[in-house]
Amino acid sequence: MGRKVMLVRGGMLGPNTGIGGAHHALIDTLERGHVSGWSLSGVQEYDLGTKPSAMSRLWQRWFAHPRRIKSISKQADIDLIHITDQEQAHLVPHNSQIPVAVTVHDLFHLFPEVRIFGETGVQIGDTSPSFIRRRDLRKLKAGLRRAHLLICDSKSTLTACQLHFPDVDAVWLPLGLNMEKFDPTLADQTKASQPAEGLSKGCHLLIVGSHDPRKRMDFLFEVLGGLDAKVKHDIHVHHVGSIASPSGAASIKDLAENHSLPNFTSHGGDLSDTALMDMRYACEALLFPSVSEGFGYPPIEAMATGTRVLCSDEASHNELMPPDSCLASDDAKAWRDAIVAVHSEWKKRSESDEHHVWPKADEALIDHAKRFDMSVFNQRTCDAYDSLV
């Protein structure tokens, strides 16, 4: 007879965010019966609506939802509780009769720091949280200490968990990707060969991510702004994500204007999955200068479509990349040279065959991305679950 797992998180998240996407992928794979010996007992989360008050959010987070999870922890027909995000670790019940696992994507919000790159200090996490947030962080840390297993989606996060929570078992379990959704050899060949029909001919470059300081958008646009005028004329930069800076600095759109990029498009954070997939097929490369990530979905998703990735050599997205393929995070010249090389290859291709506008998928990158296929994730999840019962 199979075992049952209850998935838990706090407020509902859509699948179009990193943490939300990982949560929904786990729901889907359990519902399909792909984690051998395990089935989904249910999902515990709550919907706050469109405009919840601060008090209602706090009441649900600190009081109402923890009580629900505590009650569930006493049920005899559940074999495991899996909290899918460390930001909900306060939900780990005290003295739970059922084993509790927590997925830890990163710890920089719980243990923030300022790191120096070149002459610039970059804030990783919030180093000056409010009184309420400080109390919230204490609850999260206490919850992680109560857990029976910490499931870390990167080796760097595993190391951090072993440092900060040495008395709790922890395992490395990288997230999975549905390769059938991304691989252009399996996708609709018409879309893969003629993506993003509305785009004009040019050297298209893709950026995916918010304007959080750790994403290093200011550094990237300085690099782009320093390109030769002819190169800047040819490249078309597409940004997917929020353009506003949480620290009040210049928006990404302002950065593009300040650095004289004539062909910049902001697509916002609500681009459909289909449109984003078309962008990956159409772009010569993904630019990913972040200096701190949990798993780092954008690089692995780009490689799964055969799209080149220019990526900083920082945790934990550097774990996803092929050997010796990352760029020094503070070396502007190396980044500029890499972008120029991408442009040169595009220009050579476009001049030799005016009909062959779109880049050809790199099969070596697709093969590399298959290491993170959902089938591998499912087996690792099975092993982690089994270890608790």
Side-chain angles (χ1 to χ4, degrees):
M1 184 175 179
R3 297 183 174 117
K4 295 182 180 180
V5 56
M6 174 72 74
L7 298 187
V8 174
R9 64 158 291 104
M12 292 181 177
L13 281 180
N16 58 342
T17 62
I19 291 176
H23 175 74
H24 284 275
L26 183 56
I27 292 174
D28 180 69
T29 200
L30 283 166
E31 286 181 335
R32 292 172 179 267
H34 291 168
V35 179
S36 180
W38 289 86
S39 63
L40 181 64
S41 174
V43 180
Q44 285 293 326
E45 56 188 354
Y46 54 86
D47 186 359
L48 282 170
T50 56
K51 295 182 179 180
S53 67
M55 185 58 68
S56 65
R57 290 173 63 92
L58 201 61
W59 172 257
Q60 280 287 352
R61 180 170 176 82
W62 283 3
F63 302 103
H65 201 46
R67 288 173 185 168
R68 286 192 289 269
I69 306 307
K70 182 179 180 180
S71 176
I72 290 171
S73 72
K74 298 177 182 179
Q75 296 181 16
D77 61 341
I78 299 174
D79 299 285
L80 174 66
I81 295 173
H82 183 177
I83 298 171
T84 62
D85 170 13
Q86 77 281 346
E87 279 289 319
Q88 314 302 325
H90 63 292
L91 297 173
V92 177
H94 291 266
N95 303 315
S96 177
Q97 299 174 21
I98 300 172
V100 183
V102 181
T103 292
V104 184
H105 299 282
D106 58 69
L107 287 178
F108 50 73
H109 292 302
L110 279 72
F111 303 98
E113 61 178 328
V114 175
R115 295 177 58 192
I116 304 300
F117 295 90
E119 298 179 353
T120 304
V122 178
Q123 183 171 296
I124 312 296
D126 186 358
T127 56
S128 301
S130 67
F131 169 78
I132 295 293
R133 178 57 171 166
R134 290 199 300 272
R135 183 178 177 185
D136 194 53
L137 292 171
R138 288 195 295 270
K139 288 176 175 287
L140 296 181
K141 293 174 184 177
L144 289 169
R145 295 187 187 98
R146 293 194 298 272
H148 298 89
L149 181 67
L150 304 181
I151 298 176
C152 307
D153 61 21
S154 71
K155 293 179 180 178
S156 60
T157 300
L158 174 62
T159 299
C161 281
Q162 291 170 334
L163 172 65
H164 294 290
F165 306 102
D167 296 328
V168 184
D169 288 340
V171 296
W172 172 61
L173 201 167
L175 300 177
L177 199 67
N178 184 355
M179 284 297 300
E180 293 183 0
K181 177 182 176 181
F182 292 85
D183 188 344
T185 64
L186 303 175
D188 184 329
Q189 289 303 302
T190 301
K191 297 294 278 184
S193 60
Q194 297 180 345
E197 296 177 359
L199 297 183
S200 60
K201 294 181 179 180
C203 180
H204 296 276
L205 302 175
L206 178 62
I207 305 169
V208 177
S210 69
H211 195 4
D212 187 283
R214 63 188 172 85
K215 301 289 188 177
R216 299 288 313 279
M217 291 295 132
D218 50 351
F219 168 80
L220 178 59
F221 279 86
E222 286 180 10
V223 168
L224 292 168
L227 295 170
D228 180 82
K230 292 182 179 179
V231 176
K232 284 203 287 186
H233 179 270
D234 287 341
I235 65 173
H236 297 247
V237 179
H238 301 268
H239 175 255
V240 178
S242 174
I243 65 171
S245 168
S247 63
S251 71
I252 291 180
K253 184 177 181 180
D254 291 336
L255 290 175
E257 293 178 354
N258 295 341
H259 291 288
S260 304
L261 294 179
N263 304 308
F264 171 79
T265 304
S266 172
H267 298 274
D270 297 323
L271 198 66
S272 69
D273 288 346
T274 300
L276 180 54
M277 193 69 73
D278 289 348
M279 292 296 301
R280 295 188 187 102
Y281 291 143
C283 287
E284 305 293 323
L286 170 77
L287 309 182
F288 201 73
S290 175
V291 292
S292 185
E293 294 289 326
F295 181 70
Y297 266 119
I300 195 67
E301 289 173 337
M303 287 188 290
T305 63
T307 303
R308 181 185 306 192
V309 177
L310 302 186
C311 174
S312 61
D313 191 9
E314 300 291 339
S316 63
H317 43 287
N318 57 359
E319 298 176 16
L320 308 175
M321 299 296 294
D324 303 319
S325 63
C326 295
L327 297 167
S329 55
D330 58 352
D331 190 340
K333 183 180 183 302
W335 278 83
R336 201 167 288 124
D337 290 346
I339 294 172
V340 168
V342 170
H343 170 266
S344 297
E345 291 181 18
W346 164 82
K347 192 171 185 63
K348 181 178 180 181
R349 187 182 75 243
S350 62
E351 289 176 345
S352 63
D353 184 359
E354 63 178 9
H355 299 293
H356 188 194
V357 178
W358 306 114
K360 183 179 180 180
D362 187 326
E363 294 185 6
L365 289 179
I366 296 174
D367 287 340
H368 177 80
K370 288 179 180 177
R371 301 180 185 185
F372 302 94
D373 184 66
M374 282 301 295
S375 61
V376 180
F377 170 81
N378 292 337
Q379 182 57 56
R380 287 171 171 160
T381 300
C382 176
D383 294 341
Y385 285 0
D386 286 349
S387 72
L388 284 171
V389 293

